[in-house]
């Protein structure tokens, strides 16, 4: 199987865009999806013929199945899935509503199930594939003001480990990249809402800086490479040493 087609979700965001740029530079052909159609159009314009955009709301199962089928028709079998889609908002659990919980869980976890299943089925049929899910260190150690997001990211990590166990026999590797604070629009919003917490966190990072999106993209690139072929079920923290688990 050709190893050059990768589907990236959340592709129009800070980390997603950097991953697309890195994968195109590595020589992959990228199918990029995001709910932000304008952002995808911009990405497609800047990355030329190596990236094709498939705008969709990833919390809509029928739309996700249709975009996966269309991407495989256009570009060929998907070798790699990089799931980046996510969303958070700083708030305290006791003030939240059930609608808010549903939204956080849908964007950070259920949407991952929707995109993973159709791609996994075709990877199993071809007995090859790589999956990299962008989780968060919140899913390992928790974050004040992000309780439900942290729970959903913990679910992402446990799900990755479980399907890694189920599918190693098909030569499919499943790992997570678990970013610490990374300079993106999502992080800028956090900074605005909760400047003291973010300042304290930055001081606690041994490297004394937030990650750049390209720091996350480099590890995704490694996990898709042949060098990572014996690695599965791991959640690598890319956090400048903020968390060491
Ligand atoms: N930036 C950080 O500090 C940080 C830290 C830890 C983890 N993360 C994780 O990294 C990932 C990327 O974060 P980012 O900082 O680039 O954020 P971002 O907001 O820039 O990117 C997230 C992308 O997901 C897309 N998206 C949201 N809901 C969607 C939906 N329903 N359907 C399709 N697309 C949807 C958004 O349009 C956006 O382009 C997320 O999973 C986030 O939880 C980020």
């Amino acid at each position: 199987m050709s190893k050059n087609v990768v589907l990236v979700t959340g592709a129009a965001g800070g980390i997603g865009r950097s991953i697309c740029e890195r994968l195109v530079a590595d020589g992959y052909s990228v199918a990029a999806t995001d709910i932000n159609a304008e952002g995808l159009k911009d990405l497609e314009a800047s990355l030329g013929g190596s990236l094709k955009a498939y705008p969709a709301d990833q919390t809509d199962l029928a739309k996700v199945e249709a975009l996966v089928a269309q991407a495989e028709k256009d570009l060929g079998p998907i070798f790699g899935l990089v799931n980046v889609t996510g969303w958070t908002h700083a708030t305290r659990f006791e003030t939240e509503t059930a609608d808010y919980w549903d939204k956080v869980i849908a964007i950070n976890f259920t949407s991952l199930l929707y995109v993973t299943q159709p791609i996994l089925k075709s990877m199993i049929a071809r007995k090859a594939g790589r999956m990299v899910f962008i989780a968060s260190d919140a899913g390992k150690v928790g974050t004040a003001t992000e309780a439900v997001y942290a729970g959903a990211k913990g679910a992402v990590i446990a799900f990755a480990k479980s399907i890694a166990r189920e599918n190693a026999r098909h030569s499919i590797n499943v790992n997570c990249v678990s970013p610490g604070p990374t300079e993106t629009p999502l992080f800028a919003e956090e900074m605005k809402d909760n400047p003291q917490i973010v300042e304290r966190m930055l001081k606690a990072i041994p490297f004394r800086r937030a990650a750049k999106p390209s720091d996350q993209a480099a590890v995704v690139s490694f996990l898709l490479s042949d060098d990572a072929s014996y690695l599965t079920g791991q959640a690598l923290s890319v956090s400048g040493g903020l968390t060491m688990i």
Side-chain angles (χ1 to χ4, degrees):
M1 183 186 60
S2 157
K3 287 192 173 180
N4 71 350
V5 180
V6 178
L7 185 134
V8 180
T9 78
I15 293 175
R17 190 180 173 101
S18 182
I19 290 170
C20 290
E21 289 166 352
R22 173 63 191 251
L23 297 185
V24 165
D26 286 347
Y28 291 102
S29 185
V30 175
T33 185
D34 200 293
I35 200 169
N36 176 357
E38 279 303 305
L40 278 186
K41 212 187 277 175
D42 184 59
L43 190 60
E44 202 172 30
S46 81
L47 290 178
S50 302
L51 180 141
K52 201 163 164 44
Y54 299 89
D57 179 348
Q58 204 181 325
T59 63
D60 182 328
L61 178 59
K63 291 210 169 86
V64 175
E65 287 175 340
L67 88 84
V68 169
Q70 190 60 47
E72 292 214 310
K73 201 166 156 206
D74 295 342
L75 304 176
I78 292 169
F79 165 73
L81 164 63
V82 182
N83 189 76
V84 187
T85 296
W87 179 74
T88 184
H89 176 67
T91 174
R92 291 191 63 88
F93 180 71
E94 70 272 18
T95 68
E96 295 166 0
T97 63
D99 284 348
Y100 174 77
W101 300 336
D102 288 346
K103 178 176 174 179
V104 173
I105 293 166
I107 296 176
N108 291 288
F109 185 54
T110 315
S111 69
L112 170 66
L113 309 184
Y114 288 175
V115 76
T116 297
Q117 195 188 50
I119 294 178
L120 183 62
K121 282 181 186 166
S122 72
M123 285 180 178
I124 289 171
R126 292 190 308 278
K127 295 212 165 293
R130 294 287 171 90
M131 297 197 175
V132 182
F133 304 155
I134 305 299
S136 169
D137 272 354
K140 292 183 174 184
V141 298
T143 314
T145 74
E146 292 183 323
V148 181
Y149 169 81
K153 290 296 192 178
V156 168
I157 294 170
F159 172 64
K161 289 177 187 290
S162 304
I163 59 167
R165 288 185 190 280
E166 284 179 9
N167 294 289
R169 75 194 71 169
H170 302 299
S171 304
I172 297 166
N173 307 48
V174 187
N175 291 290
C176 293
V177 168
S178 200
T182 306
E183 288 168 0
T184 68
L186 189 69
F187 180 67
E189 208 171 297
E190 275 285 292
M191 185 83 183
K192 202 174 66 193
D193 293 346
N194 254 311
Q196 290 100 335
I197 290 179
V198 176
E199 281 301 336
R200 270 207 306 275
M201 204 155 54
L202 291 178
K203 280 200 187 119
I205 297 174
F207 283 134
R208 297 284 190 276
R209 69 165 177 88
K212 296 187 183 345
S214 59
D215 293 319
Q216 309 301 338
V219 180
V220 170
S221 166
F222 164 66
L223 289 171
L224 290 172
S225 76
D226 286 345
D227 286 342
S229 58
Y230 196 58
L231 206 61
T232 200
Q234 305 304 309
L236 299 185
S237 287
V238 184
S239 60
L242 177 62
T243 47
M244 296 196 182
I245 57 163

